[in-house]
Amino acid sequence: MKQIESIKEFGGFLNRYVHPSSSCHCDMTFSVFLPSVAQNEKVPALYWLSGLTCTDDNARTKGGMQRYAEEHGIALVFPDTSPRGADVPDEADRYDLGQGAGFYVNATQAPWNRHYHMYDYITDELPKLIESELPILGNVKSISGHSMGGHGALVCALKNPGSYRSVSAFAPICNPMECGWGQGCFSAYLGNDKEEWKDYDATELVKSGARVDTLLIDQGTADEFYDEGQLLPENLQEACNSEGQELVLRMQPGYDHSYHFIASFVGEHIAYHAKHLKC
């Protein structure tokens, strides 16, 4: 784990690292914001999973999160969205498959199955690494994300009850089995057996009995991908209502899919996570 950048902001430090990943079989880059209190003690962490086409850099430069993380004394972890490198498979003419579009699954189909193990990377390898190398408390973490990353956050939390103190999402892909983005990536990464897809679909996981304390989701009503049927929060709402899973779904009038939307409400999300991380 090699530090390649360090920037002081809001009293803490935004650091960037690169390391060889055993899950993804390539070098992976990630960023961590450490609040000032981390100079003297270990702190809890909030993992932020970004969306299609993003790297670790988008959220840390556009989301406005670090100010709130400093106020609450929590670290922010910004992983990349996929494996990368010359030897990593890609679809150069598609933004929704390949590098930048890992979908936080463990791929089982060639040529993706050697490198595209983002689920294991996020839930196991990366937390172990940073908890051993940085002033971050062991197993005191929450998770959030946007769009494809919102999908990832919901799935990671639902599949690992007790591992995350809280979970939230902005405009997540709630039912990927039923939308074009999910169908395109799942068929490539996981094959054609749709029973296998259910393991990475928040709506299907809730239907099968997976539970967390509460799901917090913000969705903009002027989101073009919501209008196109890519996000499907109503499907998740219906499953949660049917199965008794608490869901706070906040439809935010006039907001789109961009980081302007995220920056408008991320302070509330970080306060929500901080409450659970400090209890």
Side-chain angles (χ1 to χ4, degrees), residues 54-266:
C54 292
T55 69
D56 65 302
D57 198 40
N58 295 75
R60 71 180 200 147
T61 58
K62 297 180 180 180
M65 306 176 190
Q66 293 92 301
R67 177 189 300 274
Y68 303 107
E70 170 65 22
E71 291 176 4
H72 291 284
I74 63 175
L76 298 174
V77 181
F78 303 103
D80 205 344
T81 53
S82 76
R84 297 181 192 271
D87 296 330
V88 175
D90 192 20
E91 287 284 346
D93 59 343
R94 289 183 59 177
Y95 75 92
D96 58 349
L97 180 67
Q99 295 186 32
F103 248 85
Y104 305 101
V105 304
N106 287 339
T108 60
Q109 304 300 302
W112 315 99
N113 54 332
R114 172 168 172 77
H115 297 283
Y116 283 72
H117 290 175
M118 289 299 294
Y119 175 79
D120 282 350
Y121 180 72
I122 295 298
T123 61
D124 184 53
E125 182 181 2
L126 185 58
K128 286 180 178 176
L129 176 67
I130 66 167
E131 289 169 11
S132 67
E133 298 289 337
L134 298 175
I136 291 178
L137 291 165
N139 291 319
V140 186
K141 59 185 183 291
S142 294
I143 193 164
S144 187
H146 170 231
S147 194
M148 179 186 72
H151 141 78
L154 298 178
V155 167
C156 289
L158 287 165
K159 287 171 66 71
N160 295 276
S163 292
Y164 299 94
R165 297 284 183 91
S166 52
V167 57
S168 74
F170 289 82
I173 304 171
C174 294
N175 195 185
M177 291 183 63
E178 300 299 329
C179 75
W181 281 342
Q183 291 165 356
C185 283
F186 281 13
S187 60
Y189 295 147
L190 304 173
N192 295 322
D193 184 354
K194 292 188 177 182
E195 288 299 310
E196 301 293 328
W197 298 10
K198 291 180 179 180
D199 283 342
Y200 298 103
D201 185 307
T203 298
E204 293 296 329
L205 287 169
V206 169
K207 289 180 181 179
S208 69
R211 295 289 180 272
V212 294
D213 287 342
T214 305
L215 300 171
L216 170 62
I217 294 175
D218 275 333
Q219 173 64 61
T221 63
D223 186 326
E224 64 272 33
F225 301 115
Y226 172 62
D227 291 339
E228 291 175 7
Q230 297 283 15
L231 307 177
L232 303 173
E234 293 87 355
N235 292 10
L236 180 59
Q237 178 79 79
E238 182 179 351
C240 288
N241 290 346
S242 175
E243 301 297 328
Q245 166 63 56
E246 184 176 351
L247 168 63
V248 178
L249 174 59
R250 308 193 307 183
M251 301 300 295
Q252 302 291 3
Y255 285 91
D256 61 14
H257 198 72
S258 72
Y259 269 91
H260 298 288
F261 163 54
I262 294 167
S264 298
F265 299 101
V266 75

